[in-house]
Amino acid sequence: MRALQAYRFALDPNSVQLADLHRHAGAARFAYNWGLARVKAALAQRDAEQSYGLTGDALTPVPWTLPALRLAWNAAKRDVAPWWDECSKEAFSAGLDQLARGLKNVTDSRKGTRKGRRVGFPRFKKRGKARDSFRYTTGAYGPAGDRRVKLPRIGWVKTHEPMGALTARLADGRARLLGATVSRTAGRWFVSFTVEVDRTVPAGPSRRQRAAGPVGVDLGVKHLAVLSTGETIPNPKHLGSALRRLRKASRSYARSKPGSAGRRQHAARLGRIHARVAHQRRDGLHKLTTRLAKTHTSIVVEDLHVAGMVRNRRLARAVSDTGMAEIRRQLTHKTGWYGSTLVVADRWYPSSKTCSGCGWRNPSLTLADRTFTCQSCELVTDRDLNAAVNLCHLVAASTSETVNARGGDRKTALARRVPVKREPGTATAGQTGSASPQGEAA
Ligand SMILES: [Zn+2]
């Protein structure tokens, strides 16, 4: 199976390179905004022409696709951006590509071929507000050795971490570079390589996975996760102190005066710490999800929101929500790679309030109750463990094969009461080898 995967590394640019990175992100934004203005002007022109009774080919064409936008840009760039030669053409192309995607989403949304909420017309990107990013898809970009990245027109930029995992795969042909996105998050620059990786994917769970069976995962804030096997996965090192700093930074931010310079500084600091906490948790989750996908038949997680609403407040909730999204994203790919299945519990399934021993419900369980005490079978257990075991029961009740094939169709008492939803995208990745889990779209 060919899978798309992303490898992301923090960059450590020198001051000249830093200015170049900003310049390239600015160029991408410039091309995007220029293209959008052009599209809007052409649309207005067309409206006017139609009111005179013109139709068909007589109307002004609107550059709606990437090739059309590129053509228009190349004809105009000498006039509108005399400095165009200072940046890689890839930067402008990236901006136009983003615009073309936005326009396509509008078309698809209107035609009804795109799922989700109706897509609005693209809007202009404001400097300092829009995300700084640009992308290379052609040319001599890529890792140059273990600790440096070659970025055309910018140079060899150092990375903060070694890129061995990626360079080894590229060197022996197991992976192919498709593109590199350079972006800025919370004041730091990152490069994210999109890579096509060859993977041998098992047709189903191995004997070892079948022996271990399904596992329920309850994400927390105090611990990274509690498994239905009884195992508690501790948080990554240093996360505690980062969380304390985060709490302090949020307070200072809240106390600062709106619109003041101090507020801007507090916001930047808060953003940096947030990013750091997210990175640390993501790292820990990667280790956990790889292990789970390799050693169990199914991994059962809760749906988003509910866990946050029911069990956590404020900061804790935000942290656990992002963790939940991240663990699902990671498991979506990894279960496909290792022959296991991801099961997402129904949004309203009360995993915390149900007794994992007998099914009795305790509707009055509060946030503060760290222990679950059953008044029916007298089970006393840790709250998170109880939730994890309940999640695991969702699959155990309807055998993993059935879940693999038909989701929650099986008519067992629990599965009927609690429909099990399969994660789209993982559906047949293991069996057919055709679906390739998308890597992180940077
Ligand atoms: Zn009970």
Side-chain angles (χ1 to χ4, degrees):
M1 173 180 101
R2 292 229 168 123
L4 289 188
Q5 223 177 314
Y7 288 85
R8 188 167 181 257
F9 304 100
L11 294 174
D12 184 14
N14 63 32
S15 54
V16 177
Q17 292 168 340
L18 193 62
D20 278 338
L21 289 171
H22 276 288
R23 204 193 337 269
H24 276 72
R29 192 174 54 238
F30 183 90
Y32 176 98
N33 284 338
W34 175 86
L36 182 54
R38 181 76 175 240
V39 166
K40 286 190 164 182
L43 285 174
Q45 176 75 19
R46 253 175 115 89
D47 271 353
E49 288 164 356
Q50 274 166 339
S51 69
Y52 305 143
L54 290 182
T55 52
D57 285 349
L59 291 167
T60 301
V62 182
W64 199 260
T65 61
L66 179 57
L69 284 165
R70 256 199 203 136
L71 209 65
W73 167 254
N74 282 326
K77 66 184 176 190
R78 278 166 198 83
D79 297 327
V80 297
W83 44 269
W84 64 273
D85 208 17
E86 287 170 27
C87 292
S88 165
K89 65 178 175 20
E90 296 278 300
F92 301 107
S93 199
L96 296 175
D97 182 50
Q98 222 182 5
L99 175 61
R101 282 166 198 266
L103 293 171
K104 183 173 186 298
N105 285 344
V106 172
T107 312
D108 290 350
S109 184
R110 281 185 190 157
K111 277 195 300 201
T113 50
R114 189 181 194 279
K115 272 193 276 185
R117 266 192 308 169
R118 203 184 152 111
V119 177
F121 204 78
R123 286 192 286 179
F124 290 106
K125 287 184 189 292
K126 211 171 155 191
R127 179 164 171 231
K129 267 217 155 147
R131 193 173 112 98
D132 279 335
S133 87
F134 58 97
R135 187 171 166 79
Y136 294 99
T137 49
T138 60
Y141 67 89
D146 212 23
R147 298 293 295 245
R148 283 193 314 170
V149 174
K150 168 106 207 296
L151 300 176
R153 297 307 295 265
I154 293 174
W156 283 270
V157 182
K158 273 198 288 183
T159 58
H160 274 295
E161 344 148 54
M163 298 180 288
L166 172 61
T167 48
R169 288 201 146 153
L170 289 173
D172 64 14
R174 276 176 299 159
R176 201 161 64 85
L177 267 186
L178 298 182
T181 299
V182 182
S183 64
R184 195 169 65 101
T185 310
R188 268 182 121 185
W189 286 91
F190 294 88
V191 61
S192 176
F193 293 109
T194 318
V195 176
E196 191 179 58
V197 184
D198 288 324
R199 283 187 174 274
T200 34
V201 168
S206 65
R207 182 180 295 172
R208 177 177 161 217
Q209 284 170 314
R210 279 200 297 272
V215 64
V217 185
D218 185 80
L219 285 188
V221 175
K222 251 193 176 157
H223 310 288
L224 188 65
V226 176
L227 307 182
S228 57
T229 54
E231 189 186 349
T232 302
I233 316 287
N235 270 322
K237 254 194 205 165
H238 310 308
L239 183 75
S241 65
L243 279 173
R244 269 194 301 281
R245 279 203 303 274
L246 186 56
R247 228 162 274 139
K248 225 180 122 200
S250 327
R251 271 202 302 272
S252 321
Y253 172 79
R255 287 193 197 122
S256 61
K257 208 170 128 201
S260 67
R263 182 153 203 139
R264 265 203 309 283
Q265 278 167 14
H266 284 306
R269 184 175 151 71
L270 190 59
R272 275 198 305 277
I273 303 176
H274 253 301
R276 199 174 162 71
V277 168
H279 285 160
Q280 285 176 342
R281 277 182 62 97
R282 179 152 69 181
D283 243 29
L285 283 176
H286 263 301
K287 294 191 184 98
L288 173 66
T289 52
T290 300
R291 195 185 99 201
L292 293 177
K294 275 184 171 173
T295 51
H296 291 275
T297 46
S298 318
I299 297 99
V300 195
V301 297
E302 260 175 319
D303 204 345
L304 285 166
H305 307 312
V306 168
M309 285 190 308
V310 176
R311 229 172 307 148
N312 302 301
R313 276 178 293 187
R314 293 189 212 161
L315 180 63
R317 169 181 159 185
V319 169
S320 127
D321 270 3
T322 49
M324 206 80 74
E326 184 60 28
I327 197 170
R328 273 178 66 169
R329 199 183 67 76
Q330 292 179 8
L331 282 172
T332 305
H333 326 153
K334 292 183 186 177
T335 50
W337 299 342
Y338 300 121
S340 42
T341 311
L342 171 64
V343 179
V344 179
D346 181 78
R347 176 162 295 204
W348 306 112
Y349 176 54
S351 60
S352 306
K353 296 189 174 187
T354 308
C355 171
S356 57
C358 68
W360 176 80
R361 292 231 181 128
N362 178 4
S364 56
L365 192 81
T366 67
L367 287 164
D369 297 332
R370 297 314 306 164
T371 311
F372 184 94
T373 309
C374 180
Q375 288 168 24
S376 174
C377 74
E378 290 174 358
L379 175 83
V380 178
T381 178
D382 173 72
R383 173 203 184 97
D384 298 337
L385 177 60
N386 183 56
V389 171
N390 276 325
L391 289 170
C392 183
H393 281 172
L394 285 180
V395 174
S398 56
T399 79
S400 55
E401 285 80 19
T402 314
V403 170
N404 220 340
R406 297 204 312 269
D409 289 348
R410 173 87 167 233
K411 299 278 187 289
T412 59
L414 195 59
R416 195 171 54 235
R417 197 168 74 227
V418 186
V420 176
K421 188 174 83 187
R422 283 211 80 255
E423 179 72 349
T426 60
T428 51
Q431 284 86 8
T432 65
S434 62
S436 56
Q438 283 282 312
E440 165 183 308

Tab-separated table of all heavy atoms in Angstrom, residues 296-337:
chain	number	residue	atom	x	y	z
A	296	HIS	N	-3.358	-4.434	19.230
A	296	HIS	CA	-4.760	-4.775	19.497
A	296	HIS	C	-5.553	-4.912	18.204
A	296	HIS	O	-5.153	-4.371	17.169
A	296	HIS	CB	-5.410	-3.709	20.383
A	296	HIS	CG	-4.872	-3.719	21.782
A	296	HIS	ND1	-5.359	-4.545	22.765
A	296	HIS	CD2	-3.862	-3.021	22.351
A	296	HIS	CE1	-4.681	-4.340	23.891
A	296	HIS	NE2	-3.764	-3.433	23.663
A	297	THR	N	-6.681	-5.618	18.280
A	297	THR	CA	-7.526	-5.759	17.094
A	297	THR	C	-8.292	-4.471	16.814
A	297	THR	O	-8.362	-4.018	15.689
A	297	THR	CB	-8.565	-6.885	17.286
A	297	THR	OG1	-9.149	-6.728	18.584
A	297	THR	CG2	-7.932	-8.251	17.169
A	298	SER	N	-8.892	-3.894	17.855
A	298	SER	CA	-9.629	-2.645	17.693
A	298	SER	C	-9.226	-1.688	18.797
A	298	SER	O	-8.919	-2.108	19.909
A	298	SER	CB	-11.137	-2.856	17.802
A	298	SER	OG	-11.525	-3.998	17.127
A	299	ILE	N	-9.264	-0.426	18.473
A	299	ILE	CA	-9.012	0.597	19.472
A	299	ILE	C	-10.273	1.451	19.535
A	299	ILE	O	-10.715	1.999	18.523
A	299	ILE	CB	-7.791	1.457	19.121
A	299	ILE	CG1	-6.542	0.586	19.102
A	299	ILE	CG2	-7.585	2.556	20.145
A	299	ILE	CD1	-6.111	0.158	17.763
A	300	VAL	N	-10.848	1.534	20.726
A	300	VAL	CA	-12.108	2.256	20.875
A	300	VAL	C	-11.856	3.569	21.593
A	300	VAL	O	-11.296	3.578	22.693
A	300	VAL	CB	-13.142	1.432	21.681
A	300	VAL	CG1	-14.525	2.025	21.519
A	300	VAL	CG2	-13.127	-0.017	21.246
A	301	VAL	N	-12.242	4.660	20.970
A	301	VAL	CA	-12.081	5.966	21.610
A	301	VAL	C	-13.433	6.667	21.662
A	301	VAL	O	-14.354	6.304	20.952
A	301	VAL	CB	-11.068	6.862	20.861
A	301	VAL	CG1	-9.691	6.260	20.875
A	301	VAL	CG2	-11.522	7.116	19.424
A	302	GLU	N	-13.498	7.672	22.500
A	302	GLU	CA	-14.723	8.439	22.601
A	302	GLU	C	-14.809	9.428	21.458
A	302	GLU	O	-13.797	9.817	20.886
A	302	GLU	CB	-14.704	9.241	23.907
A	302	GLU	CG	-15.508	8.614	24.988
A	302	GLU	CD	-15.343	9.390	26.273
A	302	GLU	OE1	-14.224	9.813	26.580
A	302	GLU	OE2	-16.343	9.575	26.947
A	303	ASP	N	-16.013	9.854	21.150
A	303	ASP	CA	-16.179	10.918	20.186
A	303	ASP	C	-15.750	12.232	20.833
A	303	ASP	O	-15.612	12.326	22.039
A	303	ASP	CB	-17.648	10.988	19.754
A	303	ASP	CG	-17.780	11.618	18.390
A	303	ASP	OD1	-16.804	12.226	17.935
A	303	ASP	OD2	-18.853	11.488	17.783
A	304	LEU	N	-15.570	13.249	20.009
A	304	LEU	CA	-15.181	14.554	20.541
A	304	LEU	C	-16.302	15.168	21.377
A	304	LEU	O	-17.384	14.639	21.439
A	304	LEU	CB	-14.874	15.496	19.386
A	304	LEU	CG	-13.566	15.269	18.671
A	304	LEU	CD1	-13.565	16.035	17.376
A	304	LEU	CD2	-12.411	15.708	19.545
A	305	HIS	N	-16.037	16.296	21.938
A	305	HIS	CA	-17.025	17.120	22.650
A	305	HIS	C	-17.486	16.537	23.973
A	305	HIS	O	-17.256	17.123	25.000
A	305	HIS	CB	-18.260	17.389	21.786
A	305	HIS	CG	-17.908	17.967	20.463
A	305	HIS	ND1	-17.049	19.015	20.340
A	305	HIS	CD2	-18.264	17.619	19.213
A	305	HIS	CE1	-16.882	19.296	19.067
A	305	HIS	NE2	-17.605	18.466	18.363
A	306	VAL	N	-18.146	15.378	23.895
A	306	VAL	CA	-18.775	14.879	25.102
A	306	VAL	C	-17.781	14.776	26.242
A	306	VAL	O	-17.993	15.302	27.318
A	306	VAL	CB	-19.410	13.509	24.846
A	306	VAL	CG1	-19.795	12.872	26.154
A	306	VAL	CG2	-20.622	13.679	23.967
A	307	ALA	N	-16.662	14.152	25.960
A	307	ALA	CA	-15.663	13.992	26.999
A	307	ALA	C	-15.315	15.349	27.570
A	307	ALA	O	-15.221	15.536	28.772
A	307	ALA	CB	-14.430	13.323	26.431
A	308	GLY	N	-15.132	16.322	26.673
A	308	GLY	CA	-14.780	17.663	27.121
A	308	GLY	C	-15.876	18.276	27.947
A	308	GLY	O	-15.633	18.788	29.033
A	309	MET	N	-17.111	18.164	27.460
A	309	MET	CA	-18.205	18.820	28.155
A	309	MET	C	-18.464	18.206	29.505
A	309	MET	O	-18.732	18.887	30.472
A	309	MET	CB	-19.475	18.718	27.318
A	309	MET	CG	-19.460	19.656	26.149
A	309	MET	SD	-21.055	19.731	25.354
A	309	MET	CE	-21.429	18.033	25.069
A	310	VAL	N	-18.394	16.906	29.545
A	310	VAL	CA	-18.808	16.225	30.754
A	310	VAL	C	-17.719	16.227	31.815
A	310	VAL	O	-17.979	16.419	32.980
A	310	VAL	CB	-19.218	14.775	30.441
A	310	VAL	CG1	-19.561	14.038	31.716
A	310	VAL	CG2	-20.400	14.790	29.500
A	311	ARG	N	-16.508	16.014	31.388
A	311	ARG	CA	-15.513	15.708	32.391
A	311	ARG	C	-14.538	16.834	32.723
A	311	ARG	O	-13.891	16.809	33.736
A	311	ARG	CB	-14.716	14.483	31.960
A	311	ARG	CG	-14.638	13.508	33.092
A	311	ARG	CD	-14.036	12.238	32.637
A	311	ARG	NE	-14.737	11.724	31.468
A	311	ARG	CZ	-14.134	11.040	30.521
A	311	ARG	NH1	-12.853	10.825	30.566
A	311	ARG	NH2	-14.822	10.564	29.524
A	312	ASN	N	-14.403	17.792	31.852
A	312	ASN	CA	-13.378	18.793	32.104
A	312	ASN	C	-13.934	20.203	32.005
A	312	ASN	O	-14.962	20.431	31.413
A	312	ASN	CB	-12.250	18.661	31.083
A	312	ASN	CG	-11.642	17.300	31.123
A	312	ASN	OD1	-11.155	16.882	32.146
A	312	ASN	ND2	-11.713	16.597	30.015
A	313	ARG	N	-13.196	21.103	32.573
A	313	ARG	CA	-13.601	22.495	32.460
A	313	ARG	C	-12.455	23.324	31.949
A	313	ARG	O	-11.294	23.017	32.170
A	313	ARG	CB	-14.047	23.020	33.823
A	313	ARG	CG	-15.490	22.668	34.101
A	313	ARG	CD	-15.888	23.141	35.445
A	313	ARG	NE	-15.145	22.388	36.472
A	313	ARG	CZ	-15.389	22.500	37.757
A	313	ARG	NH1	-16.293	23.329	38.173
A	313	ARG	NH2	-14.705	21.806	38.619
A	314	ARG	N	-12.760	24.386	31.277
A	314	ARG	CA	-11.790	25.383	30.828
A	314	ARG	C	-10.565	24.793	30.177
A	314	ARG	O	-10.630	24.067	29.221
A	314	ARG	CB	-11.376	26.235	32.025
A	314	ARG	CG	-12.525	27.066	32.519
A	314	ARG	CD	-12.015	28.013	33.533
A	314	ARG	NE	-13.014	28.303	34.542
A	314	ARG	CZ	-12.732	28.799	35.706
A	314	ARG	NH1	-11.481	29.043	36.030
A	314	ARG	NH2	-13.674	29.069	36.562
A	315	LEU	N	-9.406	25.071	30.776
A	315	LEU	CA	-8.130	24.680	30.204
A	315	LEU	C	-8.052	23.176	29.983
A	315	LEU	O	-7.709	22.700	28.913
A	315	LEU	CB	-7.021	25.128	31.148
A	315	LEU	CG	-5.630	24.793	30.682
A	315	LEU	CD1	-5.349	25.525	29.390
A	315	LEU	CD2	-4.636	25.210	31.743
A	316	ALA	N	-8.434	22.454	31.012
A	316	ALA	CA	-8.361	20.998	30.928
A	316	ALA	C	-9.149	20.512	29.724
A	316	ALA	O	-8.736	19.627	28.999
A	316	ALA	CB	-8.925	20.395	32.205
A	317	ARG	N	-10.274	21.151	29.504
A	317	ARG	CA	-11.144	20.745	28.427
A	317	ARG	C	-10.498	20.990	27.064
A	317	ARG	O	-10.519	20.137	26.181
A	317	ARG	CB	-12.441	21.521	28.549
A	317	ARG	CG	-13.302	21.378	27.345
A	317	ARG	CD	-14.534	22.198	27.563
A	317	ARG	NE	-15.135	22.481	26.284
A	317	ARG	CZ	-16.175	23.264	26.166
A	317	ARG	NH1	-16.684	23.848	27.218
A	317	ARG	NH2	-16.687	23.475	24.994
A	318	ALA	N	-9.899	22.164	26.921
A	318	ALA	CA	-9.256	22.479	25.644
A	318	ALA	C	-8.139	21.490	25.352
A	318	ALA	O	-8.005	20.991	24.240
A	318	ALA	CB	-8.700	23.895	25.688
A	319	VAL	N	-7.372	21.186	26.382
A	319	VAL	CA	-6.241	20.280	26.205
A	319	VAL	C	-6.723	18.887	25.836
A	319	VAL	O	-6.217	18.248	24.920
A	319	VAL	CB	-5.387	20.241	27.491
A	319	VAL	CG1	-4.366	19.121	27.419
A	319	VAL	CG2	-4.691	21.568	27.690
A	320	SER	N	-7.757	18.429	26.519
A	320	SER	CA	-8.222	17.077	26.247
A	320	SER	C	-8.919	17.002	24.889
A	320	SER	O	-8.846	15.995	24.198
A	320	SER	CB	-9.104	16.607	27.392
A	320	SER	OG	-10.330	16.163	26.926
A	321	ASP	N	-9.584	18.075	24.503
A	321	ASP	CA	-10.240	18.091	23.191
A	321	ASP	C	-9.238	17.988	22.055
A	321	ASP	O	-9.442	17.243	21.106
A	321	ASP	CB	-11.053	19.372	23.011
A	321	ASP	CG	-12.472	19.193	23.499
A	321	ASP	OD1	-12.773	18.112	24.013
A	321	ASP	OD2	-13.260	20.142	23.362
A	322	THR	N	-8.150	18.748	22.160
A	322	THR	CA	-7.166	18.673	21.077
A	322	THR	C	-6.516	17.291	21.073
A	322	THR	O	-6.216	16.759	20.023
A	322	THR	CB	-6.069	19.749	21.212
A	322	THR	OG1	-5.591	19.710	22.535
A	322	THR	CG2	-6.600	21.112	20.878
A	323	GLY	N	-6.331	16.717	22.258
A	323	GLY	CA	-5.769	15.376	22.333
A	323	GLY	C	-6.671	14.361	21.655
A	323	GLY	O	-6.226	13.480	20.938
A	324	MET	N	-7.953	14.540	21.859
A	324	MET	CA	-8.937	13.625	21.289
A	324	MET	C	-8.904	13.678	19.765
A	324	MET	O	-8.955	12.650	19.094
A	324	MET	CB	-10.311	14.046	21.787
A	324	MET	CG	-11.307	12.960	21.837
A	324	MET	SD	-11.077	11.974	23.288
A	324	MET	CE	-11.717	13.069	24.528
A	325	ALA	N	-8.838	14.878	19.239
A	325	ALA	CA	-8.787	15.025	17.783
A	325	ALA	C	-7.505	14.398	17.254
A	325	ALA	O	-7.491	13.732	16.229
A	325	ALA	CB	-8.858	16.500	17.402
A	326	GLU	N	-6.425	14.628	17.994
A	326	GLU	CA	-5.119	14.145	17.552
A	326	GLU	C	-5.050	12.618	17.597
A	326	GLU	O	-4.551	11.989	16.665
A	326	GLU	CB	-4.042	14.767	18.461
A	326	GLU	CG	-2.626	14.457	18.083
A	326	GLU	CD	-2.245	14.938	16.692
A	326	GLU	OE1	-2.831	15.922	16.200
A	326	GLU	OE2	-1.379	14.305	16.085
A	327	ILE	N	-5.559	12.022	18.649
A	327	ILE	CA	-5.464	10.560	18.767
A	327	ILE	C	-6.296	9.909	17.655
A	327	ILE	O	-5.908	8.895	17.074
A	327	ILE	CB	-5.911	10.075	20.161
A	327	ILE	CG1	-5.418	8.638	20.398
A	327	ILE	CG2	-7.406	10.107	20.343
A	327	ILE	CD1	-5.612	8.167	21.819
A	328	ARG	N	-7.408	10.496	17.310
A	328	ARG	CA	-8.227	9.947	16.226
A	328	ARG	C	-7.520	10.068	14.890
A	328	ARG	O	-7.532	9.151	14.081
A	328	ARG	CB	-9.558	10.693	16.161
A	328	ARG	CG	-10.572	10.081	17.072
A	328	ARG	CD	-11.846	10.835	17.039
A	328	ARG	NE	-12.491	10.751	15.736
A	328	ARG	CZ	-13.732	11.158	15.523
A	328	ARG	NH1	-14.425	11.652	16.512
A	328	ARG	NH2	-14.263	11.063	14.339
A	329	ARG	N	-6.915	11.222	14.685
A	329	ARG	CA	-6.207	11.445	13.429
A	329	ARG	C	-5.076	10.420	13.272
A	329	ARG	O	-4.922	9.801	12.225
A	329	ARG	CB	-5.615	12.863	13.440
A	329	ARG	CG	-5.245	13.420	12.089
A	329	ARG	CD	-4.616	14.791	12.249
A	329	ARG	NE	-3.329	14.712	12.925
A	329	ARG	CZ	-2.226	14.288	12.350
A	329	ARG	NH1	-2.244	13.903	11.100
A	329	ARG	NH2	-1.093	14.226	13.019
A	330	GLN	N	-4.329	10.229	14.336
A	330	GLN	CA	-3.207	9.294	14.274
A	330	GLN	C	-3.682	7.856	14.103
A	330	GLN	O	-3.137	7.097	13.314
A	330	GLN	CB	-2.361	9.402	15.538
A	330	GLN	CG	-1.630	10.729	15.654
A	330	GLN	CD	-0.816	10.820	16.931
A	330	GLN	OE1	-0.674	9.843	17.646
A	330	GLN	NE2	-0.277	11.988	17.215
A	331	LEU	N	-4.714	7.501	14.857
A	331	LEU	CA	-5.187	6.112	14.781
A	331	LEU	C	-5.832	5.809	13.435
A	331	LEU	O	-5.811	4.675	12.973
A	331	LEU	CB	-6.174	5.834	15.917
A	331	LEU	CG	-5.538	5.605	17.291
A	331	LEU	CD1	-6.614	5.549	18.362
A	331	LEU	CD2	-4.717	4.330	17.303
A	332	THR	N	-6.405	6.834	12.805
A	332	THR	CA	-7.012	6.626	11.495
A	332	THR	C	-5.980	6.059	10.521
A	332	THR	O	-6.241	5.113	9.802
A	332	THR	CB	-7.578	7.947	10.953
A	332	THR	OG1	-8.465	8.478	11.914
A	332	THR	CG2	-8.338	7.727	9.666
A	333	HIS	N	-4.768	6.622	10.517
A	333	HIS	CA	-3.749	6.081	9.611
A	333	HIS	C	-3.191	4.775	10.142
A	333	HIS	O	-3.057	3.792	9.427
A	333	HIS	CB	-2.534	6.976	9.428
A	333	HIS	CG	-2.812	8.424	9.462
A	333	HIS	ND1	-1.879	9.352	9.849
A	333	HIS	CD2	-3.926	9.116	9.147
A	333	HIS	CE1	-2.391	10.540	9.778
A	333	HIS	NE2	-3.631	10.438	9.365
A	334	LYS	N	-2.844	4.775	11.421
A	334	LYS	CA	-2.038	3.669	11.937
A	334	LYS	C	-2.797	2.354	11.988
A	334	LYS	O	-2.212	1.305	11.754
A	334	LYS	CB	-1.482	4.045	13.318
A	334	LYS	CG	-0.450	5.166	13.202
A	334	LYS	CD	0.174	5.521	14.518
A	334	LYS	CE	1.084	6.730	14.355
A	334	LYS	NZ	1.672	7.156	15.621
A	335	THR	N	-4.105	2.404	12.293
A	335	THR	CA	-4.854	1.153	12.290
A	335	THR	C	-4.855	0.569	10.871
A	335	THR	O	-4.793	-0.643	10.696
A	335	THR	CB	-6.304	1.361	12.769
A	335	THR	OG1	-6.881	2.444	12.054
A	335	THR	CG2	-6.358	1.635	14.253
A	336	GLY	N	-4.895	1.450	9.877
A	336	GLY	CA	-4.829	0.987	8.489
A	336	GLY	C	-3.503	0.314	8.172
A	336	GLY	O	-3.455	-0.643	7.409
A	337	TRP	N	-2.444	0.796	8.776
A	337	TRP	CA	-1.121	0.239	8.491
A	337	TRP	C	-0.891	-1.106	9.170
A	337	TRP	O	-0.142	-1.942	8.688
A	337	TRP	CB	-0.015	1.180	8.974
A	337	TRP	CG	-0.035	2.522	8.329
A	337	TRP	CD1	-0.664	2.871	7.169
A	337	TRP	CD2	0.611	3.710	8.804
A	337	TRP	NE1	-0.457	4.184	6.892
A	337	TRP	CE2	0.315	4.734	7.876
A	337	TRP	CE3	1.394	4.001	9.916
A	337	TRP	CZ2	0.806	6.029	8.032
A	337	TRP	CZ3	1.870	5.292	10.070
A	337	TRP	CH2	1.577	6.290	9.137
